[in-house]
Structures are given as structure tokens and as C-alpha cells.
Amino acid sequence: MGGEATGGEYADFEIIRGGDLQEETFERMDYAGKVLHSMDMKLDQSLQLQHAMLGKQDQSLKLQHTMLDKQDQMLEKQDRMLDKQDQSLQLQHMMLEKQDQSLQIGIETKEEITGLRKDTGKYLDDEFKEIKKELASIKGALARAGIQV
């Protein structure tokens, strides 16, 4: 121990987890909860942005009505409108990408939670089997000692 690594001494390695599987399972569940909370916050931000965009669209409609009344200024204002619409489309595209990312995170979180449930269920089943074996052994020892249970 303590020497330089040669790179060829070991073909593989094994991760050794902590001794308490239940604690590690609950740590995973805590992490999943944090991810869900983060998704919720991002969804709220997305909804606020959509609301702001609707307000901008309402302003845009009012501006179009004014431009019809003033034909001399119409071309200049239409050019500005087209620029704003381009920005709006870019923003909508970005929002769709964020929503896709949120959906993917949701899918991954669901899969992780499903895995955690399976892991926890198997762990509890194994623990209960072990407890039942130990109780049977204790009952047998008590019976052999003449103690009625």
C-alpha cells in the first residue's frame, strides 16, 4: 500500500456503499424531492413568462390598430413589429426547449422513484423474512427451555 499506481494491477473495481441501505434509499428520495421542487419552480417561471408574452401580444394588437389609422407611419412600425415577432418566436422556441427539458427531467425522476420503490420493497421484504426466521428461532429456544409463548 502507498506506492505509485502501475495501471495494470487490477482489472476492475467495486463500489462499496455505506452500511445502511435504508439511509441511502432515503437520501435518494430526498434528492428526487429536490429535483421535483426545482421542476415545479421552473414550471412556475415558464407560466409567468407565458403570461408576460400574452401581455406583449395584447400591446402588439393595439399598436396594429393605431398603425391602420396612420398609413404614413405603417411601414416603419411594421418593421418594428416584425423584429418583435422574431424575438417572440425565438423566446417561444426557447420556452418549448425548456418545457422539453422539464418533461425529460420528469420522466427521469419518475423512473428513479419507481426504482427506489422497488429497491425499498425488496429491502423490506428481505428484512421481514429475516425477522420471521429470528422469531421462529427464539420461539423454538423458548419452547426447548420449557417456556410457553
Side-chain angles (χ1 to χ4, degrees), residues 3 8 16-17 19 63 74 86 94 98 103 105 107 116 121 146:
I16 299 173
R17 303 208 185 274
L63 182 59
M74 186 166 61
D86 286 344
M94 288 172 43
K98 295 272 186 201
L103 287 173
I105 289 171
I107 289 167
L116 286 172

Side-chain angles (χ1 to χ4, degrees), residues 126-144:
D126 291 346
E127 285 295 312
F128 286 133
K129 285 177 187 175
E130 187 62 31
I131 290 169
K132 284 179 181 180
K133 286 180 188 176
E134 289 177 10
L135 282 174
S137 176
I138 291 169
K139 282 182 178 181
L142 289 172
R144 285 189 300 276

Side-chain angles (χ1 to χ4, degrees), residues 49-65 81 84-85 87-89 91-92 95:
L49 187 55
Q50 287 175 351
H51 181 71
M53 286 177 52
L54 288 174
K56 295 273 185 198
Q57 288 174 352
D58 288 345
Q59 292 173 0
S60 176
L61 290 173
K62 289 177 185 177
L63 182 59
Q64 285 178 354
H65 181 71
M81 285 279 302
K84 286 185 179 183
Q85 286 177 349
Q87 291 173 358
S88 177
L89 287 174
L91 194 56
Q92 287 175 352
M95 285 178 51

